[in-house]
């Protein structure tokens, strides 16, 4: 908390101005704005509008992931209400939880799916072995490797305009 909504807005504006020559995309974390209530929501929307005035993209860090109808509402909130260009998502509920963010009205939007995050607890699930069987062979990978393969080889092809999906990969966890 930066001593309230006004301080949060000033902090974001200062950060945007200082980094404009270097940043192609900004990634505001929705949780910090949501924690400020209605004013926080309004500030997040204002920050996104200011970023767009500088022709930069906004990746809303919201880490959403839920059933189809709820995912559709989250997509509407991120894209229609807030004006984000892309959003972070959890892939663990399957394609139907990702689909509303990158097809139909949002086929030109993007999503970055959690693959291998750098927090130590990510190994509780993402490093688990996954057995992959085909008619000719059987291989073992980690869940995060499986997610990367699934997103890159299967889910991206299902997007409205293709190649709308990226991966969230923690740079501090080799």
């Amino acid at each position: 908390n930066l001593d309230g909504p006004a301080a949060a807005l000033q902090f974001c504006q200062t950060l945007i101005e200082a980094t404009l020559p270097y940043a192609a995309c900004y990634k505001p974390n929705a949780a910090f704005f949501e924690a400020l209530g209605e004013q926080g929501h309004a500030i997040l929307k204002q920050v996104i509008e200011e970023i767009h005035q500088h022709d930069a993209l906004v990746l809303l860090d919201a880490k959403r992931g839920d059933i189809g109808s709820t995912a559709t509402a989250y997509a509407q909130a991120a894209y229609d209400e807030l004006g984000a260009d892309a959003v972070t998502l959890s892939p663990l509920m399957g394609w139907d939880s990702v689909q509303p963010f990158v097809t139909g009205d949002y086929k030109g939007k993007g999503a970055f799916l959690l693959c291998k995050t750098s927090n130590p607890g990510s190994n509780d699930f993402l490093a688990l072995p996954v057995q992959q069987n085909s008619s000719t062979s059987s291989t073992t990978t980690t869940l995060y490797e499986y997610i990367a393969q699934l997103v890159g080889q299967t889910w991206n092809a299902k997007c409205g305009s293709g190649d709308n999906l990226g991966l969230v990969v923690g740079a501090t966890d080799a």
Side-chain angles (χ1 to χ4, degrees):
N1 188 338
L2 295 170
D3 297 322
L9 177 59
Q10 182 61 48
F11 175 80
C12 290
Q13 290 171 326
T14 300
L15 186 64
I16 292 165
E17 290 298 323
T19 59
L20 273 172
Y22 314 104
C25 181
Y26 290 86
K27 187 177 139 198
N29 189 306
F32 294 103
F33 296 93
E34 291 168 358
L36 298 172
E38 286 182 48
Q39 288 180 308
H41 181 84
I43 290 169
L44 176 57
K45 189 171 183 173
Q46 184 177 347
V47 166
I48 291 172
E49 289 170 355
E50 289 187 27
I51 292 168
H52 283 153
Q53 288 173 4
H54 297 288
D55 294 323
L57 297 173
V58 174
L59 168 59
L60 182 63
D61 190 2
K63 297 177 184 79
R64 303 289 190 223
D66 212 327
I67 63 171
S69 61
T70 306
T72 298
Y74 278 136
Q76 290 169 342
Y79 299 140
D80 296 339
E81 170 61 24
L82 291 171
D85 301 297
V87 66
T88 58
L89 304 173
S90 171
L92 296 180
M93 288 188 71
W95 168 248
D96 58 327
S97 70
V98 173
Q99 182 179 10
F101 290 90
V102 291
T103 62
D105 290 343
Y106 308 119
K107 66 182 178 188
K109 300 292 186 177
F112 285 77
L113 304 172
L114 301 176
C115 181
K116 181 58 177 94
T117 59
S118 58
N119 62 303
S122 73
N123 287 327
D124 292 349
F125 293 102
L126 296 174
L128 288 174
V130 174
Q131 188 72 34
Q132 293 181 278
N133 299 316
S134 70
S135 59
T136 58
S137 67
S138 178
T139 59
T140 302
T141 63
T142 61
L143 179 56
Y144 71 84
E145 290 170 321
Y146 179 76
I147 289 169
Q149 180 183 33
L150 182 66
V151 169
Q153 295 179 0
T154 305
W155 288 5
N156 242 330
K158 294 180 178 184
C159 294
S161 54
D163 290 338
N164 296 52
L165 301 178
L167 298 171
V168 175
V169 180
T172 59
D173 185 359

